[in-house]
Amino acid sequence: MEYVIGIILIVIFVLIVANFKIVPQAQVYVIERLGTFNREMHTGPHIIIPFIDKVAKKVSIKEQVADFKPQPVITKDNVTMQIDTVVFFQITNAKLYTYGVERPIAAIENLTATTLRNIIGELELDATLTSRDTINNKITAILDEATDRWGIKVNRVELKNIIPPKEIQDAMEKQMKAERERREKILQAEGEKKSQILVAEGEKESKILRAEADKQAEILKAEAEKEAMILRASAVKDQKILEAEGEAQAIEKVQGALAEALVKLTASNPSEKVLTLKSLEAFEKAADGKATKIIIPSEIQGIAGLAAGIKAIAENN
């Protein structure tokens, strides 16, 4: 009896341990009771009823990445290309994810492919190649709305590769090559143009500088000549002033000497003969001049005759 009780206790312990569930972080367990949804078990320890409850699905609520294989799509201008997409999504409702759709990843892949075909079908090839952001945003909005009923939140969709046909790639490469050659020629032409402009501007500035230098040289030359003329005129003026001052001083000294002589002569009270002799000396000086006519006073004529008589008597003796 004790053996049976021990076995029963062991079985009960094993069943309790087997039905003691610890839900890890970022996971949700969907529990069914007798085949019907019962509850969701979130992070932490939980106990389920043996043989009645079971874990129907273990759902990860972390963000997941689905990389889908390339899908053939046709553009508005009838160009077939291959586009592969990457979808970033997160499960927000474990119940809807479990019971909402069969094989949800496959559903997202097919929904992505059909949505991508609809969007690309409205665009031409060039717009498709240059509108990645627009296409990504449109697909994200459409998928997010469609997957809400599956308990899935689509965070973003990225176009990983856009692969056009080989002939289109060759044509695009040729076009890009021609475009690069055109840009190169334009750059060369612009470089030559700028170079010629710089050379012309340099010559212009050089001519302007030379003209300004010549002008300054002429101005300086004229100013130098002007100053030289002023200095020469000033020197001539100073010379004439000095000469005039010298002459004036000489005349002043002569007149002073004459005046002094007259004073002295007057002071000595000269006789008539001395006065007569001085008159003769003055007449002699007047006669030595350059005058063509000389008027001799009568007094001097008498004196001259007297002098001649005296000379004759002296010779006879």
Side-chain angles (χ1 to χ4, degrees):
M1 187 67 180
E2 294 178 356
Y3 178 76
V4 175
I5 294 174
I7 293 174
I8 292 173
L9 292 175
I10 291 173
V11 171
I12 292 173
F13 178 76
V14 170
L15 289 175
I16 292 174
V17 171
N19 290 277
F20 182 77
K21 303 295 182 183
I22 298 178
V23 180
Q25 184 70 34
Q27 284 194 358
V28 176
Y29 287 3
V30 177
I31 305 301
E32 292 180 352
R33 177 169 292 177
L34 300 176
T36 304
F37 173 77
N38 180 258
R39 68 185 186 277
E40 294 178 356
M41 292 195 313
H42 297 275
T43 303
H46 298 272
I47 296 177
I48 63 176
I49 301 174
F51 307 112
I52 295 177
D53 294 342
K54 72 171 184 177
V55 178
K57 197 175 186 64
K58 297 179 180 179
V59 180
S60 173
I61 59 175
K62 294 185 292 186
E63 186 174 14
Q64 302 178 47
V65 181
D67 189 355
F68 301 134
K69 62 182 180 180
Q71 301 290 331
V73 295
I74 300 175
T75 62
K76 186 177 180 179
D77 48 355
N78 297 322
V79 177
T80 302
M81 61 177 63
Q82 299 287 328
I83 300 179
D84 59 342
T85 55
V86 179
V87 179
F88 299 84
F89 67 94
Q90 188 175 12
I91 299 170
T92 57
N93 191 313
K95 177 183 176 181
L96 294 178
Y97 181 74
T98 303
Y99 302 106
V101 63
E102 189 70 25
R103 297 190 300 162
I105 302 301
I108 293 175
E109 181 178 5
N110 291 327
L111 182 60
T112 301
T114 55
T115 304
L116 185 62
R117 290 190 181 99
N118 291 334
I119 294 174
I120 298 300
E122 297 176 356
L123 300 174
E124 295 183 354
L125 175 62
D126 293 340
T128 302
L129 297 175
T130 58
S131 303
R132 284 177 177 259
D133 291 339
T134 302
I135 297 172
N136 293 338
N137 293 333
K138 286 184 178 180
I139 297 177
T140 301
I142 294 172
L143 289 182
D144 187 33
E145 182 179 358
T147 56
D148 279 344
R149 62 181 183 274
W150 301 340
I152 298 174
K153 169 67 176 177
V154 176
N155 295 324
R156 63 185 183 277
V157 179
E158 297 288 343
L159 300 184
K160 187 176 180 180
N161 289 311
I162 299 177
I163 307 173
K166 180 64 177 175
E167 58 273 12
I168 299 296
Q169 294 184 25
D170 294 339
M172 291 172 62
E173 290 178 358
K174 291 179 181 178
Q175 182 180 0
M176 289 301 298
K177 183 179 180 181
E179 180 68 16
R180 285 193 295 269
E181 292 177 352
R182 185 182 69 85
R183 291 179 181 177
E184 181 182 1
K185 291 180 180 179
I186 290 174
L187 291 175
Q188 290 179 352
E190 290 179 351
E192 292 178 358
K193 177 182 177 182
K194 290 181 180 179
S195 176
Q196 293 178 358
I197 290 174
L198 291 175
V199 171
E201 289 180 351
E203 293 179 353
K204 176 183 176 182
E205 292 179 358
S206 177
K207 290 181 180 179
I208 292 173
L209 291 175
R210 285 198 296 268
E212 290 181 352
D214 294 340
K215 177 182 177 182
Q216 292 294 330
E218 292 295 331
I219 292 173
L220 293 175
K221 182 179 178 181
E223 291 179 351
E225 292 179 353
K226 177 181 177 182
E227 291 180 358
M229 292 175 65
I230 291 172
L231 291 174
R232 286 195 296 269
S234 178
V236 172
K237 175 182 176 182
D238 293 341
Q239 182 180 1
K240 290 182 177 180
I241 290 173
L242 292 174
E243 291 178 353
E245 290 178 352
E247 292 178 357
Q249 291 177 358
I251 292 172
E252 183 179 359
K253 288 182 178 181
V254 171
Q255 293 298 328
L258 292 176
E260 186 178 356
L262 290 175
V263 170
K264 290 180 178 181
L265 182 62
T266 304
S268 61
N269 193 13
S271 62
E272 187 68 24
K273 293 181 180 181
V274 172
L275 293 175
T276 302
L277 181 59
K278 290 294 182 180
S279 299
L280 290 174
E281 290 177 354
F283 177 74
E284 181 182 0
K285 291 180 179 180
D288 289 339
K290 296 181 179 180
T292 56
K293 293 181 180 181
I294 298 174
I295 299 174
I296 300 172
S298 59
E299 294 85 355
I300 296 177
Q301 289 179 0
I303 294 170
L306 178 59
I310 294 171
K311 183 181 180 182
I313 294 170
E315 289 178 353
N316 292 326
N317 295 328

